[in-house]
Amino acid sequence: MPAGQQPQAREPDGGPQHPHPPPPTPALPSEVVPAYPPPESEDDESWVWTQIKAEARRDADAEPALASFLYATVLSHPSLPRSLSFHLANKLCSSTLLSTLLYDLFLASLTAHPSLRAAVVADLLAARARDPACVGFSHCLLNYKGFLAIQAHRVAHVLWAQNRRPLALALQSRVADVFAVDIHPAAVVGKAILLDHATGVVIGETAVVGDNVSILHHVTLGGTGKAVGDRHPKIGDGVLIGAGATILGNVMIGAGAKIGAGSVVLIDVPARSTAVGNPARLIGGRKGDSDKDEDMPGESMDHTSFIRQWSDYTI
């Protein structure tokens, strides 16, 4: 190196640091950022990441106040795992839990476990498809605390399985503090999960949540007391759990079931049935229809279809 020349600063991934964002890019036509992904994609992660970057460029051009934020969180990163790791690390860091440590932790887990990256993409697709308030993939990535809480939990779950339990519990605590979502690191959570609004969601240690499940705010999957062992609910694929519902104990909620808002569930709920009330009772069951090819409630987000079969429903 010539005398007097300073070494070039580099980012953690080895790329050069840019002291200033690049010049603004031209506005993108709406068709560049489609509403939904193609029905069959050879590489969902690459496709979703392309959409996120396109949305971020469009938004940075339209709203200069967000340009630095969007550059730092999305446009300066070469991949979805790096962007997500950076964003989560900055959301969850504290004076004693440094963002650099968290960034390395999240990125190492996402890099080492392809199934985590697949779940991230499935969760993004789920939020975009099911939530009419979700205006884009970048909106979910940057602003949906339910999505961010689930991704942080996935990393905490890896740490728990690796017997790094103090760190897993510390991460759980930070997620609860920052996002108001409390998921024990040992809980098993599937993919294509939507925590809609997410505030107040509690999922206990031995709970299991299947794929394509949608859970609204203030839902508790808890135990019934001081008993130890397998003591939390098991939620089947495609289940929809309404706001404020409480499910307690080692009970099974069958695939495609629907739990009404504010319900308290203490016993098993059969597949493709609806439970409402406190204590919950089954209503509007579709006997004999369980094998029909219908949308699962967790995907359709249909909270009220059972009412047409509720003959004594009055206001």
Side-chain angles (χ1 to χ4, degrees):
M1 179 183 298
Q5 181 176 338
Q6 297 297 320
Q8 187 178 29
R10 305 186 74 82
E11 292 183 333
D13 62 358
Q17 272 190 341
H18 299 284
H20 302 290
T25 54
L28 297 172
S30 59
E31 60 268 18
V32 175
V33 188
Y36 295 100
E40 294 181 1
S41 176
E42 294 181 359
D43 189 344
D44 284 342
E45 181 180 335
S46 176
W47 189 90
V48 168
W49 177 235
T50 298
Q51 304 312 305
I52 289 171
K53 289 192 295 183
E55 293 170 1
R57 291 190 190 100
R58 177 200 60 195
D59 294 342
D61 186 67
E63 185 51 78
L66 292 176
S68 294
F69 168 70
L70 292 170
Y71 177 78
T73 53
V74 175
L75 297 175
S76 65
H77 299 281
S79 67
L80 177 57
R82 288 184 179 274
S83 174
L84 176 60
S85 298
F86 177 87
H87 189 43
L88 275 176
N90 281 280
K91 283 281 190 180
L92 296 175
C93 67
S94 69
S95 58
T96 54
L97 198 60
L98 302 182
S99 62
T100 51
L101 181 151
L102 290 175
Y103 174 82
D104 291 341
L105 179 67
F106 291 135
L107 185 58
S109 296
L110 290 168
T111 302
H113 302 279
S115 61
L116 291 190
R117 300 197 302 274
V120 170
V121 173
D123 292 348
L124 284 166
L125 294 172
R128 186 68 182 94
R130 298 177 205 167
D131 185 358
C134 184
V135 298
F137 295 110
S138 63
H139 175 51
C140 179
L141 171 68
L142 299 176
N143 302 320
Y144 270 37
K145 67 179 184 179
F147 168 79
L148 294 171
I150 285 288
Q151 310 323 313
H153 162 75
R154 297 190 196 285
V155 174
H157 186 66
V158 169
L159 295 172
W160 188 267
Q162 294 172 340
N163 209 32
R164 301 175 68 184
R165 297 186 174 183
L167 183 55
L169 292 168
L171 187 54
Q172 174 198 3
S173 177
R174 284 301 297 161
V175 171
D177 289 345
V178 174
F179 299 132
V181 175
D182 195 351
I183 308 175
H184 194 281
V188 177
V189 178
K191 62 182 180 180
I193 303 297
L194 173 63
L195 297 188
D196 197 356
H197 300 289
T199 300
V201 169
V202 176
I203 300 178
E205 179 180 6
T206 61
V208 176
V209 178
D211 297 337
N212 299 302
V213 172
S214 292
I215 299 175
L216 276 79
H217 49 289
H218 291 295
V219 164
T220 297
L221 307 181
T224 58
K226 293 171 63 177
V228 297
D230 195 357
R231 61 195 186 278
H232 294 104
K234 311 298 181 283
I235 310 300
D237 294 345
V239 170
L240 172 62
I241 306 178
T246 300
I247 306 173
L248 299 179
N250 187 14
V251 299
M252 178 65 195
I253 309 301
K258 193 182 303 185
I259 309 299
S263 299
V264 176
V265 179
L266 303 174
I267 60 175
D268 292 353
V269 174
R272 291 285 190 173
S273 60
T274 299
V276 300
N278 181 6
R281 61 189 179 97
L282 297 180
I283 62 171
R286 296 176 289 185
K287 295 181 179 179
D289 288 351
S290 60
D291 295 331
K292 289 187 177 181
D293 185 16
E294 300 176 353
D295 287 340
M296 296 292 255
E299 299 177 64
S300 68
M301 303 296 289
D302 181 0
H303 292 265
T304 59
S305 62
F306 65 89
I307 292 177
R308 63 176 176 267
Q309 297 173 330
W310 194 359
S311 60
D312 61 347
Y313 179 73
T314 58
I315 296 179

